[in-house]
Amino acid sequence: MAQQAAESGQRPAGEEQEHKQEEVIIVGAGPSGLAAAACLSLRGVRSLVLERDDCVGSLWRNRTYDRVRLHLAKQHCALPHLPHDAAAPTYLPRDDFARYLDGYAARFGVRTRLRREVREARFDEARGEWIVEALDLATGKAERYAARHLVAAAGENDEKVVPEVPGLDGFPGKVLHACEYRTGKGMEGKAVLVVGSGNSGMEIAYDLAVAGAATSIIVRSELHLVTKEIWNVAMTLYKYLPLWLIDRIVLLMCHLVFGDTSRYGLRRPAIGPFSMKINTPAYPVIDVGTYAKIRTGEIQVSPAGDEERARGRRGVHRRQAAPVRRHRLRHRLPEHNQAVAQGTALTRHVILFQSDDGLIGEDGMARRSFPGHWKGRNGLYCAGMVRRGLYGSCEDAEFIAEDISSKKKQQTVPNLMTVMRRAID
């Protein structure tokens, strides 16, 4: 029994597990977790970050393709209290941003314990603390931490989402998820189907086309196509104008740049692009050159549904209509040198936070809407989990750190008064 418990990371029955005491536990060493730790440190609050992977910012190192760059200008992508270097590119490449996160953690002395997978967190009413159960993935040993405050910062993207595609099981070629894709090199002359038309799918399709692959992409939903420059204008206007007006300005600029994208199978939703970003889980697609290749036919757009229905749908350019009938890949991609890239989303690794205030939903994201999303009961907080990007993560970090710091000061003053009274007596 003891051996089985050790192998599973659990202690034998009857053996009391030691609590590692901390002021604040932060779950996740991505940008949100690092920002929260830094903001706390600047206010004199000690914290510990638990991270499942073997590095900080693991999404940027382990789950992104080579050509990834930040879609927003660097001034919109800096974490609190450390702007990007003036000499850095306006749109940082993946490796530059990963190095920035390393430097950020070092600059603010962020304490991390890597390869720790948090399994559960519960509030102990008797102790007035959060008990965090974690597994040391390097040794397989269970660990238990106790802290007055707990910050969930595991992020929006972690576990891959694999859509159901009929015929995929029998497909003889190579199948990759977006988080496994790195480069289109070596794909020249091969027929590749990209499933999904979000930012990852569209950028992977472009990368494959540049590498010389015969690329098709399945567009399963409506989308807003914008450029980096247009979106940075929108981000700047957000401080001054209402959403509806920003939407109109963005759509006007998009029309001038792209024209009618529905002619090529890319239909825009009824909700405006900035309103969609603020109020829904969906993001506009930042064009990196994909649209130009769609217009020339280098990338074939394949609307979801059968070919006949796609051809008859109003607004779909006839030349671009569904080359893959009903997604039956085994019928249309039989050659051994062809592949499928699933350009679909990542979801978050769900951790059980036992709390009755509904701060965090069953999907691991903030249950409440902005701006009341970041603070729960009993010292529970969440950062970067309401789909507001890096800007939202920075705001959350400052709010959380200020709240925890204020509580600490309130607790310190009565304790100091008690000491002074005892000294006088």
Side-chain angles (χ1 to χ4, degrees):
M1 179 66 72
Q3 183 178 359
Q4 290 178 351
E7 291 173 352
S8 65
Q10 300 176 348
R11 288 178 177 265
E15 183 178 340
E16 181 64 26
Q17 189 170 350
E18 179 187 355
H19 292 73
K20 297 177 173 64
Q21 194 69 40
E22 298 288 341
E23 280 192 80
V24 183
I25 292 289
I26 300 172
V27 181
S32 300
L34 296 179
C39 291
L40 286 166
S41 177
L42 289 173
R43 291 166 171 83
V45 180
R46 182 180 172 88
S47 66
L48 177 68
V49 182
L50 301 179
E51 167 58 45
R52 186 178 61 173
D53 284 308
D54 59 358
C55 59
V56 303
S58 62
L59 175 67
W60 294 90
R61 287 183 168 88
N62 302 332
R63 299 178 185 85
T64 55
Y65 36 93
D66 293 347
R67 66 166 291 108
V68 163
R69 286 176 174 263
L70 293 180
H71 285 159
L72 297 179
K74 61 186 178 183
Q75 63 266 28
H76 298 300
C77 297
L79 299 185
H81 311 291
L82 187 62
H84 291 287
D85 191 274
T90 301
Y91 300 96
L92 267 70
R94 174 194 64 185
D95 293 343
D96 285 5
F97 189 65
R99 283 190 288 270
Y100 169 80
L101 294 179
D102 284 337
Y104 189 86
R107 171 74 173 270
F108 296 103
V110 176
R111 298 170 58 234
T112 60
R113 287 196 177 169
L114 304 176
R115 300 281 289 159
R116 262 62 175 194
E117 183 176 78
V118 174
R119 297 295 182 85
E120 181 184 343
R122 65 184 183 276
F123 186 73
D124 188 321
E125 296 282 354
R127 296 171 60 100
E129 293 182 317
W130 283 91
I131 307 301
V132 180
E133 307 285 353
L135 181 68
D136 184 339
L137 297 178
T139 64
K141 293 182 178 179
E143 296 178 339
R144 178 175 291 171
Y145 299 84
R148 179 65 188 86
H149 305 283
L150 176 63
V151 181
E156 301 177 15
N157 305 303
D158 190 6
E159 305 287 350
K160 63 184 181 183
V161 176
V162 181
E164 290 187 15
V165 183
L168 190 62
D169 291 343
F171 176 60
K174 188 174 184 179
V175 179
L176 286 174
H177 189 273
C179 69
E180 300 163 332
Y181 177 88
R182 294 295 176 267
T183 178
K185 292 179 181 178
M187 301 298 285
E188 183 178 0
K190 298 179 181 179
V192 184
L193 175 67
V194 179
V195 181
S197 55
N199 277 291
S200 296
M202 294 288 267
E203 194 159 351
I204 288 172
Y206 174 79
D207 195 51
L208 288 164
V210 169
T215 308
S216 299
I217 183 169
I218 290 179
V219 178
R220 300 181 295 170
S221 59
E222 298 171 327
L223 59 90
H224 277 300
L225 194 67
V226 301
T227 66
K228 290 180 179 179
E229 294 75 19
I230 290 174
W231 201 243
N232 277 310
V233 170
M235 290 292 294
T236 302
L237 294 177
Y238 183 46
K239 299 178 181 178
Y240 310 104
L241 299 179
L243 291 181
W244 68 267
L245 185 53
I246 297 174
D247 284 336
R248 290 190 179 184
I249 294 171
V250 169
L251 287 172
L252 175 60
M253 291 190 289
C254 287
H255 182 74
L256 294 174
V257 172
F258 299 114
D260 182 6
T261 59
S262 68
R263 295 180 63 238
Y264 298 93
L266 307 178
R267 296 177 296 113
R268 292 186 182 273
I271 186 173
F274 213 81
S275 294
M276 181 178 72
K277 190 259 182 194
I278 296 297
N279 298 313
T280 78
Y283 284 85
V285 173
I286 308 293
D287 182 52
V288 296
T290 310
Y291 186 63
K293 292 193 175 296
I294 288 174
R295 293 184 63 177
T296 62
E298 294 174 78
I299 297 174
Q300 294 289 310
V301 171
S302 179
D306 60 41
E307 183 168 327
E308 289 79 8
R309 186 172 59 196
R311 287 183 185 277
R313 185 179 296 157
R314 183 178 180 181
V316 178
H317 195 276
R318 190 174 186 83
R319 182 185 57 175
Q320 303 296 333
V324 183
R325 184 183 180 93
R326 292 185 182 176
H327 305 175
R328 295 288 179 181
L329 307 182
R330 56 189 174 86
H331 293 160
R332 298 303 301 254
L333 299 177
E335 291 82 9
H336 70 279
N337 65 334
Q338 297 181 313
V340 174
Q342 296 174 328
T344 50
L346 293 167
T347 187
R348 68 281 325 138
H349 173 64
V350 178
I351 300 166
L352 178 60
F353 294 93
Q354 293 187 8
S355 176
D356 61 358
D357 64 355
L359 180 69
I360 299 172
E362 294 180 358
D363 62 350
M365 295 296 290
R367 189 188 296 269
R368 301 171 188 168
S369 300
F370 170 82
H373 63 283
W374 57 274
K375 180 180 178 180
R377 293 173 53 192
N378 299 323
L380 177 62
Y381 304 86
C382 65
M385 296 171 66
V386 75
R387 298 183 176 93
R388 296 185 65 235
L390 287 173
Y391 178 80
S393 296
C394 295
E395 273 196 347
D396 292 348
E398 293 283 18
F399 289 147
I400 292 168
E402 185 60 31
D403 193 69
I404 293 175
S405 175
S406 297
K407 289 181 178 178
K408 184 178 180 180
K409 290 176 182 177
Q410 291 170 6
Q411 293 169 353
T412 302
V413 171
N415 291 340
L416 181 60
M417 294 296 292
T418 300
V419 171
M420 292 176 66
R421 288 194 190 100
R422 288 176 179 173
I424 293 173
D425 292 343

